[in-house]
Amino acid sequence: MNPVVGEIALGVYALLLAVGGVMGFVKARSQASLIAGLLSAVIASVCAGWSIRDPTTGFGLGIVLALVLLSLFAPRFAKSRKFMPAGLLCLTSLVVVALLAFLLIRPAA
């Protein structure tokens, strides 16, 4: 699989994190959601940019970010059973982890 797929995935993940943070702020006036969402989006964007020069490091850091967010939102989803926002973030983070791990294990030929 082409590493560009991972770069795009990290870019889309960054966009979803930013939109989620803004939505949390608009709906609940949660400054914490806004800051955490935008900060996470910046980190995911940095990982995407880094992966262009060094896919191993960029994807590795992207996996770490997605695992951290998964570990924060999985208990929230388990407790609330509400898909938005915790379930969506869990699902998205799992997909990002799986995709980036696959790209690290099976680099492009």
Side-chain angles (χ1 to χ4, degrees), residues 46-71:
V46 168
C47 292
W50 202 331
S51 68
I52 293 169
R53 282 177 264 152
D54 182 8
T56 302
T57 304
F59 293 163
L61 292 173
I63 289 171
V64 170
L65 172 65
L67 287 173
V68 167
L69 292 174
L70 182 62
S71 72

Side-chain angles (χ1 to χ4, degrees), residues 73-74 76-90:
F73 282 93
R76 292 180 190 180
F77 177 61
K79 184 177 180 181
S80 72
R81 293 287 182 208
K82 293 183 181 178
F83 187 71
M84 289 297 286
L88 179 62
L89 194 55
C90 287

Side-chain angles (χ1 to χ4, degrees), residues 89-106:
L89 194 55
C90 287
L91 180 63
T92 307
S93 296
L94 276 172
V95 169
V96 169
V97 167
L99 179 64
L100 296 180
F102 179 79
L103 287 168
L104 283 176
I105 292 169
R106 298 185 144 238

Side-chain angles (χ1 to χ4, degrees), residues 10-11 13-19 34-50 65 69:
L10 282 169
Y13 192 48
L15 181 64
L16 290 173
L17 292 169
V19 168
L34 179 64
I35 293 168
L38 294 178
L39 181 62
S40 298
V42 167
I43 294 170
S45 296
V46 168
C47 292
W50 202 331
L65 172 65
L69 292 174

